[in-house]
Amino acid sequence: QVQLVESGGGLVQTGGSLRLSCAASGSIFRINTMGWYRQAPGKQREMVATIANDGTTNYADSAKGRFTISRDNAENTLYLQMNSLKPEDTAVYYCNGDVISLVPYGVSNYWGQGTHVTVSS
């Protein structure tokens, strides 16, 4: 069984910074693409940023220039550095990963439980 656990959310003022982490654990052979998604109250979940196993990144327009996604493949950990935060960044942030597991062998997509980010004006 594979688990993704996020941490690092909290309350921050406009213009502040937060660093989110996502630790993957379990019977993991390799994690392909990982990503951060967010869901604001009353809205659909949206992609924030993704990063492939080779480090190739993709950002939503709203995140470009302010957020940086990174990963530590050796530690199966994903990060999101968020700077210049705005009230509209308030949401639950979810970690996602395409995981190749060993037991049982196969590829599955996993979500974390989410971490709350609140940006006050």
Side-chain angles (χ1 to χ4, degrees):
Q1 188 72 3
V2 173
Q3 284 189 318
L4 302 181
V5 179
E6 302 97 334
S7 60
L11 174 64
V12 64
Q13 290 186 330
T14 296
S17 298
L18 282 175
R19 189 190 194 211
L20 306 183
S21 300
C22 171
S25 62
S27 181
I28 298 171
F29 172 69
R30 188 177 71 191
I31 307 177
N32 291 331
T33 298
M34 301 187 77
W36 289 99
Y37 294 75
R38 68 186 183 186
Q39 187 166 17
K43 295 188 176 182
Q44 289 189 328
R45 191 173 299 189
E46 62 179 5
M47 185 273 288
V48 176
T50 63
I51 183 168
N53 186 268
D54 65 0
T56 302
T57 58
N58 181 44
Y59 292 91
D61 287 343
S62 59
K64 289 178 182 177
R66 300 188 300 126
F67 295 0
T68 302
I69 190 170
S70 60
R71 63 190 289 175
D72 183 335
N73 290 335
E75 297 294 330
N76 290 326
T77 303
L78 178 71
Y79 302 99
L80 185 68
Q81 177 66 43
M82 304 188 294
N83 299 327
S84 302
L85 283 161
K86 307 174 182 179
E88 50 264 44
D89 294 318
T90 296
V92 178
Y93 284 70
Y94 297 91
C95 172
N96 178 270
D98 288 326
V99 180
I100 302 174
S101 61
L102 290 170
V103 181
Y105 182 77
V107 181
S108 296
N109 186 263
Y110 292 90
W111 290 93
Q113 82 289 349
T115 185
H116 290 259
V117 172
T118 302
V119 184
S120 63
S121 56

